[in-house]
Amino acid sequence: MRHIRFLAVALAAAVTFAAPAFAQTTLKMNISLAQNSHYGVAIDTFAREVEKRTNGRYKVQNFYSGALGAERESIEALQLGTLDLTMTSTGPVPNFVPEIAILDIPFLFRDYAHARAVLDGPIGQDLLKKFEPKGIEALAWGENGFRNMTNSKHPVNVPADLKGLKMRTMENPVHIQAYKAFGIIPTPMAFTEVYTALQQGTVDGQENPLSVIESAKLDQVQKYLTLTGHVYSPALILMSKAKWDALSPADKQAFHEAAAEAVKANRARIDSDEQKAVADLRSKGMQIVEHPDKAKFQAALEPVFAEFGKKFGQANIDRIRNYK
Ligand code: EAX
């Protein structure tokens, strides 16, 4: 009998000491794109880095392809505390933080280097602070990429070719206002609905960076692609402020470092995608207008640029446009 009691005590002791010396917290993170995408590689890097840099105190459980909701729903869930983290384009963000909309003005950024310099510099870093009063901690600027037009009807060589096309847009007021100047019939919807809408012909086309067109396999439902690069689409790594506030100072530092590593992987994937996506999409049957006259597309938007100048302040726009 004493032998059994000894074994029971020994077993209990073994279990106690085998349990981790700390409680591990699991955080849920959601994106609208597939795991094999420029967002997927970012959040997988983020998850790995968070667990490593917090010595396992925090684990990030990733969800892809809108499994826990579309981008707008995910941002709302951060505010409600029902989701912990997300990576999203700025598409729906102006509905929560209106100041961010200035970044969605077409033809605002010269190229990737310019956009990254603005976002990583004082202008971008100041904008990240605008999220705090909305119950959201913006950990870092990521990247979605320069957006291009696709449709199923006909090639788009000049702005007039866009006239009358029913195009899905993000739920973004600046984009919707601008695209009307092209003569587009804008149809805002969440990205999680886009593939089906294109497949069923509910909309004729959409616009997205090459990385999204590739990872979402939009070549299967879109025939024509024009590399308009008409607007740069920033992305953000966002966290529920309630969960952020619960972190120790050391863990806050670890989360910021993990986000920085995630953005490096995100931007590297885009650089790689941009190198090979055109050849790949052409091999899959897309007809691609590689070098449209972008000046014509920019000129078509002159009327709305004046309105954006009034709305955001022309000096603020010029400060971004001229940033070196
Ligand atoms: O953030 O909604 C969109 O078109 C976005 O580019 C996509 O969800 C990736």
Side-chain angles (χ1 to χ4, degrees):
M1 190 55 183
R2 194 151 26 126
H3 178 63
I4 292 171
R5 194 179 303 122
F6 169 75
L7 274 178
V9 169
L11 185 63
V15 166
T16 307
F17 289 115
F22 50 84
Q24 183 176 65
T25 304
T26 297
L27 300 171
K28 292 184 188 300
M29 188 166 197
N30 183 54
I31 54 174
S32 63
L33 299 181
Q35 182 172 19
N36 182 14
S37 70
H38 55 313
Y39 287 5
V41 69
I43 68 170
D44 287 351
T45 302
F46 181 75
R48 195 172 50 248
E49 291 296 323
V50 162
E51 190 159 2
K52 184 174 77 176
R53 293 168 185 267
T54 63
N55 297 318
R57 283 189 298 282
Y58 287 90
K59 184 175 165 46
V60 177
Q61 185 183 6
N62 282 335
F63 296 84
Y64 313 93
S65 304
L68 299 185
E71 293 186 347
R72 183 185 185 128
E73 290 160 339
S74 295
I75 298 169
E76 284 164 356
L78 296 185
Q79 292 178 315
L80 294 169
T82 51
L83 179 66
D84 304 313
L85 291 142
T86 191
M87 182 170 191
T88 175
S89 70
T90 52
V93 170
N95 300 291
F96 302 87
V97 186
E99 299 91 332
I100 300 302
I102 192 172
L103 298 175
D104 293 319
I105 293 174
F107 298 108
L108 181 65
F109 295 101
R110 295 185 296 276
D111 53 30
Y112 280 105
H114 175 211
R116 294 171 185 177
V118 168
L119 296 178
D120 294 348
I123 297 171
Q125 296 308 299
D126 284 349
L127 285 173
L128 290 182
K129 297 188 183 97
K130 305 288 185 189
F131 286 80
E132 289 167 25
K134 307 298 173 77
I136 297 168
E137 181 68 20
L139 296 183
W141 285 106
E143 184 167 85
N144 194 17
F146 279 93
R147 303 177 76 89
N148 304 296
M149 300 277 186
T150 70
N151 83 89
S152 59
K153 297 291 184 190
H154 53 248
V156 171
N157 289 289
V158 293
D161 295 334
L162 290 168
K163 193 167 174 48
L165 285 177
K166 200 170 179 188
M167 300 282 279
R168 176 268 175 175
T169 71
M170 293 201 286
E171 299 152 292
N172 182 287
V174 169
H175 285 191
I176 291 166
Q177 187 177 350
Y179 298 165
K180 284 177 182 169
F182 283 138
I184 280 170
I185 302 165
T187 312
M189 71 177 75
F191 185 71
T192 45
E193 298 162 32
V194 171
Y195 189 96
T196 304
L198 293 168
Q199 193 173 40
Q200 293 175 350
T202 316
V203 289
D204 302 321
Q206 64 89 47
E207 40 84 59
N208 245 298
L210 291 173
S211 292
V212 173
I213 296 167
E214 281 265 72
S215 61
K217 299 181 172 39
L218 297 186
D219 56 279
Q220 294 176 350
V221 286
Q222 293 281 262
K223 179 77 180 163
Y224 304 101
L225 164 63
T226 301
L227 302 187
T228 47
H230 54 279
V231 65
Y232 173 80
S233 185
L236 287 150
I237 298 177
L238 304 176
M239 184 170 185
S240 164
K241 183 106 179 48
K243 290 291 172 40
W244 169 259
D245 290 342
L247 297 177
S248 70
D251 285 339
K252 284 189 166 86
Q253 175 67 21
F255 272 62
H256 267 139
E257 290 168 357
E261 291 304 312
V263 169
K264 278 183 200 161
N266 163 241
R267 288 171 172 173
R269 173 63 183 258
I270 290 166
D271 292 344
S272 165
D273 287 347
E274 296 265 321
Q275 289 299 315
K276 52 183 194 285
V278 171
D280 181 51
L281 293 168
R282 182 171 280 130
S283 73
K284 289 172 181 170
M286 288 196 92
Q287 280 188 33
I288 302 174
V289 176
E290 278 192 71
H291 306 292
D293 183 344
K294 292 188 183 181
K296 286 182 179 166
F297 287 86
Q298 192 163 350
L301 296 182
E302 280 310 322
V304 283
F305 286 142
E307 290 167 40
F308 292 144
K310 289 192 198 98
K311 180 181 170 76
F312 296 105
Q314 193 55 51
N316 295 324
I317 294 172
D318 294 343
R319 186 165 163 246
I320 294 171
R321 184 167 278 141
N322 302 327
Y323 190 84
K324 294 276 185 244

